Amino acid sequence: MRYRCSVCGQEYPLETRQWQCECGGLFEFESGIQFSDEVVQRGVPTLWRYRALLPVHEDRNVVSLGEGFTPLVRSEIYGHEVWFKSEFLGPTGSFKDRGATVLISVLKELGISTVVEDSSGNAAASIAAYCARAGIHARIFVPAHASPAKLAQIAIYGAELVPIEGPRENSAVAAQEAARDAYYASHNYNPLFVEGTKTFAYEIWEQLGCAPDNVVLPVGNGSLFMGAYIGFKDLAEAGLIDNMPRLFGVQAKACAPIYEAFVRGDEDARPVESGKTAAEGIHIARPVRGRVVLRAVGQTDGKMLAVDEAEIRSSQSDLAQQGLFVEPTSAVAVAALQRLAAVLEPGQMTVVGLTGSGLKSD
Amino acid sequence: MRYRCSVCGQEYPLETRQWQCECGGLFEFESGIQFSDEVVQRGVPTLWRYRALLPVHEDRNVVSLGEGFTPLVRSEIYGHEVWFKSEFLGPTGSFKDRGATVLISVLKELGISTVVEDSSGNAAASIAAYCARAGIHARIFVPAHASPAKLAQIAIYGAELVPIEGPRENSAVAAQEAARDAYYASHNYNPLFVEGTKTFAYEIWEQLGCAPDNVVLPVGNGSLFMGAYIGFKDLAEAGLIDNMPRLFGVQAKACAPIYEAFVRGDEDARPVESGKTAAEGIHIARPVRGRVVLRAVGQTDGKMLAVDEAEIRSSQSDLAQQGLFVEPTSAVAVAALQRLAAVLEPGQMTVVGLTGSGLKSD
């Protein structure tokens, strides 16, 4: 098991404290383990049913709060038959718990005692909760202007909050400076986080008994989107599915750097001047993973889409009136279904990821 | 399947619109089905694995959002080894989803198109969500002074809110008057609600592989407490467990009518003049089910306890620092563990129900 630079190919051991390659390239993770149907522990009602496929050696290092194997709820909306994957029922209220449980388990195994992270929302809450469970100290760099309710959730898990003035990016810079002395448990840079989110795809395959035709997800930095891509790729390589699902990534128009790059036909996203959006969880003006997200979209014959604020709000309400209350960030994926009328074909199976709880939003 | 009055024994058919006996007694439900290990569908990751034991005939009438089979998280707190049952991960953020999924499924099967209910919190949110999923209109009578955040969750599911001035009891009276023209889907009076919450006990038995020695739960009107009692009783009658667990019910000192009756040795609770408490979910000054809760406590050699506001707040924080963020109502059960030092014995298995999400509280 090792990291490999996605740009220059240089290898790093799992124990490294570097969080990106010396060349500036993003790390990828190579587990050397191939997916196999036989190793799935079907009696385990969490994502740790895929224990044999996750990079943790000893059972005592598994840091679990009962995450994963979230419900897949069949429904109809905007004329489409869809399956909603209720990721908002993670222990801290978002899909981020998939990444955090795996990342923090590995860090416990490596003997890490302090981590730093930057986020003002779901990722920070999740890292804080799993660090609390693991007995690891978490220092979270947050924008000073972040919503008090979201900061309160992070703080109650016992994490240390470090408010940073200025735009969101400043918190990342501060965390990266602090990472000289502490482990950077970044949900954006650390590929072990995506090792956790890939179980999203495994579960859909188990729950449907096959791969869906289409998967629709909100995209900010792509930590779930890339997990879905890698997970379905594992299943395809193991010969368990015939075709990759088409992956559709959705952004808020007010902040849509990856969508704009897709429209231009670019290979990577450029930073944007963002406007206001209710979809705070994907309000990422300088995405770190634009290149790999665009590649995954291209390789699966998918699309990037963007929806406006009115669509987000009305989709949040339309979904709640089916009994599913999600935050605006998740509603962007639901809103996109209206724009996919000509793309999704009748009889196709479409999965929509409901990424965060409505109880988190204002 | 029928209702039977718990006081005079009179029988009523499932189709009745009466919500209590003509004598004023509470209904009990007689399904005529005995628990059996063989009928559990272990591949179904929700409480509908107990489908054969629940009073719904046709699959198409099952109204599900993916509820139940909640995580059981092993931990240590205040010197006790405990298993936390994460009921706060229900689709609407509380254990109430167990009751709502079963009750609303039966009502769908009966062809009910409009229900009334009274609650200002978790029960109303849950009834509203399942009615939305079922296509049933829900009119919820709520105290005019209830917290705006809680009312917002009820309203977003599409329920009609009817604000009622005065104390909480006035909403119940208003709902009961409205029940002349609409079905009263009461989580307190309708025993089908408890038919759902009994699955809490079934799951613990499956997850532990046996019955625990002790179960500790917050108690307001006892809809989970009675479900736990009935569920374990089913298992005992089926010969699947040797002993009933001891059931410990916990109230907030500021509003503890059942605890006070227990201390006095009374058979039923008397209404109290309540003070302020953060534990809103169990702020019930006139409990409907005092008598049956006290009987269940007595028959399992259990106890009622009461904890103060400082204990509730510190237990909420202590639990969050283990990664589990619950509302103050749930923290009362955790707080009681400190008072059970001399009661719980080392090596015993103790389950604590974490009933509602911390994301719901202010």
Side-chain angles (χ1 to χ4, degrees), chain A:
Chain A
M1 293 196 279
R2 60 200 165 190
Y3 300 119
R4 183 192 295 274
C5 174
S6 61
V7 177
C8 75
Q10 193 179 327
E11 293 180 1
Y12 293 81
L14 203 59
E15 293 73 24
T16 184
R17 300 300 167 98
Q18 285 192 241
W19 46 270
Q20 62 181 7
C21 181
E22 277 154 26
C23 83
L26 275 179
F27 282 160
E28 288 172 348
F29 179 71
E30 294 191 344
S31 70
I33 308 167
Q34 220 209 354
F35 192 93
S36 149
D37 198 1
E38 290 78 47
V39 301
V40 178
Q41 295 172 259
R42 288 193 158 73
V44 176
T46 70
L47 63 80
W48 290 96
R49 65 204 285 119
Y50 310 112
R51 173 86 177 77
L53 305 160
L54 298 172
V56 182
H57 297 287
E58 309 225 16
D59 281 344
R60 66 187 165 87
N61 293 322
V62 170
V63 182
S64 174
L65 295 166
E67 54 290 315
F69 223 68
T70 54
L72 195 64
V73 178
R74 192 172 184 162
S75 193
E76 264 182 51
I77 196 162
Y78 307 140
H80 304 293
E81 184 183 27
V82 296
W83 281 256
F84 291 119
K85 181 84 171 146
S86 292
E87 293 295 290
F88 65 99
L89 299 181
T92 75
S94 85
F95 79 90
K96 292 284 189 350
D97 295 332
R98 292 187 188 276
T101 188
V102 171
L103 173 57
I104 302 302
S105 295
V106 175
L107 300 191
K108 188 177 174 196
E109 196 148 88
L110 291 175
I112 303 294
S113 58
T114 302
V115 302
V116 294
E117 158 72 314
D118 55 281
S119 155
S120 58
N122 293 339
S126 188
I127 293 286
Y130 284 85
C131 280
R133 175 88 175 154
I136 292 174
H137 180 68
R139 290 183 76 197
I140 314 280
F141 293 79
V142 297
H145 57 78
S147 96
K150 291 203 167 170
L151 297 184
Q153 191 196 357
I154 303 167
I156 196 166
Y157 292 124
E160 177 190 356
L161 292 186
V162 187
I164 302 292
E165 297 293 336
R168 166 73 180 83
E169 290 77 27
N170 292 13
S171 307
V173 172
Q176 288 156 16
E177 278 169 16
R180 288 183 199 136
D181 305 314
Y183 192 97
Y184 188 24
S186 171
H187 63 291
N188 292 325
Y189 288 96
N190 198 312
L192 293 171
F193 199 88
V194 173
E195 282 300 292
T197 59
K198 73 181 184 185
T199 59
F200 173 81
Y202 298 168
E203 291 179 14
I204 291 169
W205 166 74
E206 266 200 73
Q207 289 171 315
L208 289 178
C210 61
D213 299 287
N214 311 293
V215 175
V216 187
L217 292 171
V219 170
N221 246 315
S223 61
L224 183 57
F225 194 87
M226 289 313 298
Y229 175 74
I230 291 171
F232 283 117
K233 207 150 153 273
D234 287 349
L235 294 165
E237 284 170 5
L240 295 166
I241 62 175
D242 292 332
N243 296 302
M244 287 290 283
R246 297 179 76 182
L247 298 185
F248 296 90
V250 194
Q251 302 204 290
K253 271 190 184 158
C255 183
I258 304 179
Y259 163 75
E260 289 171 19
F262 174 80
V263 170
R264 285 193 306 264
D266 288 355
E267 280 188 5
D268 199 356
R270 290 202 293 260
V272 294
E273 290 287 323
S274 66
K276 282 190 77 152
T277 175
E280 288 180 14
I282 53 170
H283 193 167
I284 309 287
R286 299 172 168 269
V288 170
R289 290 202 199 89
R291 185 182 297 272
V292 291
V293 168
L294 286 162
R295 206 186 294 157
V297 167
Q299 287 180 357
T300 64
D301 191 27
K303 274 182 193 298
M304 289 297 302
L305 298 100
V307 296
D308 64 33
E309 296 301 298
E311 290 172 290
I312 294 170
R313 285 297 180 191
S314 68
S315 291
Q316 185 189 28
S317 172
D318 294 340
L319 186 65
Q321 287 179 35
Q322 299 198 0
L324 298 166
F325 181 32
V326 300
E327 62 180 0
T329 300
S330 312
V332 301
V334 181
L337 292 172
Q338 289 189 285
R339 292 173 174 260
L340 287 168
V343 177
L344 308 184
E345 290 163 32
Q348 285 190 335
M349 295 178 107
T350 300
V351 172
V352 180
L354 302 180
T355 49
S357 170
L359 298 171
K360 288 193 176 222
S361 57
D362 302 328

Side-chain angles (χ1 to χ4, degrees), chain B residues 49-249:
Chain B
R49 65 204 285 119
Y50 311 112
R51 173 87 177 77
L53 306 160
L54 298 171
V56 182
H57 297 288
E58 309 226 16
D59 282 344
R60 66 188 166 85
N61 293 321
V62 170
V63 182
S64 175
L65 295 166
E67 53 291 313
F69 223 68
T70 54
L72 195 63
V73 178
R74 192 173 185 161
S75 194
E76 263 181 53
I77 196 162
Y78 306 141
H80 304 293
E81 185 181 24
V82 296
W83 280 257
F84 290 119
K85 182 83 170 144
S86 291
E87 293 295 291
F88 66 98
L89 299 181
T92 76
S94 85
F95 79 90
K96 293 285 191 344
D97 295 333
R98 293 186 187 276
T101 188
V102 171
L103 172 58
I104 301 303
S105 295
V106 174
L107 300 191
K108 188 177 174 197
E109 196 148 86
L110 291 175
I112 303 294
S113 59
T114 301
V115 303
V116 293
E117 157 73 314
D118 54 282
S119 154
S120 58
N122 292 339
S126 187
I127 293 286
Y130 284 85
C131 280
R133 174 90 175 152
I136 293 174
H137 180 68
R139 290 182 76 198
I140 314 279
F141 294 78
V142 297
H145 58 78
S147 96
K150 292 202 165 168
L151 297 183
Q153 191 196 357
I154 304 166
I156 196 165
Y157 292 124
E160 177 191 355
L161 293 186
V162 187
I164 303 292
E165 296 293 336
R168 167 73 180 84
E169 289 77 27
N170 293 13
S171 307
V173 172
Q176 287 156 17
E177 278 169 15
R180 287 183 200 136
D181 305 314
Y183 192 96
Y184 188 25
S186 171
H187 63 291
N188 291 324
Y189 289 95
N190 198 312
L192 293 170
F193 199 88
V194 174
E195 281 300 291
T197 59
K198 74 181 184 185
T199 58
F200 174 80
Y202 298 168
E203 291 179 13
I204 291 169
W205 166 73
E206 267 202 72
Q207 290 171 315
L208 290 178
C210 61
D213 299 287
N214 312 293
V215 175
V216 186
L217 292 171
V219 170
N221 246 314
S223 62
L224 183 56
F225 194 87
M226 288 314 299
Y229 175 73
I230 291 170
F232 284 116
K233 208 150 152 276
D234 287 349
L235 295 165
E237 284 170 5
L240 294 166
I241 60 174
D242 292 331
N243 297 301
M244 289 288 284
R246 299 179 74 181
L247 297 185
F248 296 90

